Amino acid sequence: MPITFRAILVAVATHIPGLQNITMQRTGGTSSARYCYSVWLRHLSMLHQSGLPTRFGTVVEIGPGDTLGVGLAALLSCADRYVALDSVRYAQADRNLAVFDKLVELFKDRTAIPDDAEFPLVKPRLSSDTFPSDVLPTGHLDRILYPRRQAAIRDALKDAGGTSTAAGLLSYVAPYAKDSIEDQVADLVISQAVLQYPSDLPSVYREMDRWLKCGGVVSHQVDFKSHGVTKEWNGHWACSDWLWQAFQGKRRGQLNREPHSAHLRMLTSLGYRIVCDNRVVSASRLSRSQLAPRFAHLSDTDLTTSGALIQAQKPGQLHAW
Ligand SMILES: C[S@@+](CC[C@H](N)C(=O)[O-])C[C@H]1O[C@@H](n2cnc3c(N)ncnc32)[C@H](O)[C@@H]1O
């Protein structure tokens, strides 16, 4: 049996009244300002390294989790407007405000990017963790970090919610629906540890394409591991559909099990230019004969890709903002 004992216990617990919500009550790291700062600056540094834009009119984040900290870091460094879309409303005003105040200090101090020693599981890895002064020079940060703008973001945070309007500095829509956001408003769509979840991934990619302006960019860090459900990190590809479903129980955040190549295929079929494909390579201990029929076609690259930062650009000219 490739399933871990813990995953069996969790699956059973999700069927017991009162224990149904034991999965994903909190989502991960975004309660920590240093985590959010690190995640944002890693995406930004990689965009710069890929020769992609690093100044944005509107940044849309999908799946921010416990706070809006990643998008707040974007607003404090190089974005005019931030829209957060989540399937569950995790972020609360008090946590957002606490993270925001710490982020301001981190940017004012030009703090080095918190590294793998502090956040060993966070990807992508960077070759240098020094503050990216080439992307965010002092003059630029001084212009964007002025007190009235900070006060405006704090005010918007107290009342973040409802719908996304083109005029707003900040919107948090959770749960969001197809019409929660206008067409072609985003310069950047970002996600961290999210795209392994949506059950209908092609429709999420089509939606993101609808939000993005021509020439706009996506930056997604995706985790392809089985999240401890199976003994091997890639053992989810050895589970038949019925076995996998049985051990998901009613857990929140069920993995879609889409491999790395599926993301590249969806983006290229929409005409995107893949500019960065930063894979985390992990050894596979599965033999091909163990793969479930649905995953028998997986390439050796898929079977050994446990995570990837994928950055891609939508065809066409980026509109001035
Ligand atoms: C593991 S958490 C990651 C949270 C945060 N990005 C971080 O780095 O800690 C996954 C997040 O994705 C969200 N999510 C899952 N499926 C989603 C979907 N189809 N659309 C939007 N958000 C989704 C969850 O609600 C949750 O906030």
Side-chain angles (χ1 to χ4, degrees):
M1 168 80 77
I3 307 287
T4 58
F5 183 59
R6 187 178 172 282
I8 296 170
L9 283 183
V10 170
V12 172
T14 62
H15 290 283
I16 299 173
L19 290 180
Q20 274 157 351
N21 291 332
I22 61 166
T23 49
M24 280 187 87
Q25 289 175 321
R26 298 288 284 266
T27 65
T30 58
S31 297
S32 152
R34 288 181 65 83
Y35 171 92
C36 299
Y37 180 80
S38 185
V39 166
W40 169 249
L41 289 183
R42 288 173 196 229
H43 280 263
L44 188 66
S45 299
M46 294 299 290
L47 287 168
H48 179 64
Q49 202 173 303
S50 304
L52 288 166
T54 53
R55 299 287 181 269
F56 309 102
T58 298
V59 171
V60 175
E61 183 183 12
I62 179 165
D66 292 330
T67 76
L68 308 185
V70 171
L72 293 174
L75 277 178
L76 286 170
S77 54
C78 49
D80 288 349
R81 177 180 175 237
Y82 166 59
V83 179
L85 305 171
D86 208 320
S87 51
V88 179
R89 194 172 187 85
Y90 288 108
Q92 292 161 7
D94 53 346
R95 277 208 297 266
N96 285 333
L97 288 167
V99 164
F100 176 73
D101 291 339
K102 287 202 184 115
L103 283 168
V104 171
E105 294 310 314
L106 291 167
F107 276 109
K108 275 189 183 156
D109 295 345
R110 276 59 165 170
T111 306
I113 303 173
D115 60 9
D116 303 333
E118 185 171 347
F119 296 114
L121 301 180
V122 174
K123 304 284 184 303
R125 291 224 161 111
L126 298 177
S127 52
S128 163
D129 299 311
T130 53
F131 183 80
S133 310
D134 46 348
V135 193
L136 300 173
T138 298
H140 166 78
L141 271 189
D142 289 345
R143 272 196 304 280
I144 204 164
L145 278 174
Y146 58 94
R148 268 183 50 200
R149 187 155 187 275
Q150 287 173 37
I153 299 173
R154 281 193 119 262
D155 280 348
L157 266 181
K158 288 179 197 152
D159 189 26
T163 53
S164 145
T165 61
L169 187 61
L170 185 158
S171 318
Y172 177 36
V173 194
Y176 72 99
K178 286 217 160 175
D179 57 357
S180 296
I181 177 165
E182 312 90 327
D183 291 2
Q184 303 218 3
V185 288
D187 300 276
L188 171 69
V189 177
I190 183 175
S191 74
Q192 179 78 10
V194 175
L195 292 187
Q196 61 268 24
Y197 295 110
S199 54
D200 186 354
L201 194 58
S203 91
V204 173
Y205 270 110
R206 280 194 298 273
E207 271 297 283
M208 294 191 285
D209 180 56
R210 184 176 70 73
W211 310 333
L212 262 182
K213 295 175 186 169
C214 292
V217 170
V218 295
S219 184
H220 299 302
Q221 178 67 42
V222 191
D223 182 0
F224 300 107
K225 298 194 289 302
S226 78
H227 293 195
V229 173
T230 57
K231 289 170 189 156
E232 298 297 331
W233 72 264
N234 55 1
H236 47 332
W237 293 321
C239 296
S240 61
D241 288 346
W242 76 263
L243 182 70
W244 182 252
Q245 270 317 311
F247 290 103
Q248 290 302 294
K250 293 184 175 175
R251 68 164 70 222
R252 256 187 193 176
Q254 304 197 0
L255 299 175
N256 55 33
R257 297 195 287 167
E258 295 283 6
H260 169 252
S261 61
H263 293 258
L264 299 186
R265 197 176 53 247
M266 287 174 210
L267 282 165
T268 44
S269 73
L270 288 165
Y272 284 54
R273 184 172 66 97
I274 310 285
V275 184
C276 163
D277 179 19
N278 187 317
R279 293 165 55 229
V280 182
V281 178
S282 303
S284 170
R285 294 202 299 187
L286 288 183
S287 67
R288 291 211 150 263
S289 62
Q290 288 174 288
L291 294 175
R294 182 146 82 89
F295 300 107
H297 68 282
L298 292 193
S299 66
D300 289 345
T301 302
D302 276 337
L303 281 175
T304 52
T305 303
S306 60
L309 175 73
I310 300 170
Q311 297 184 322
Q313 189 163 34
K314 180 170 174 168
Q317 272 306 96
L318 186 63
H319 297 305
W321 47 273

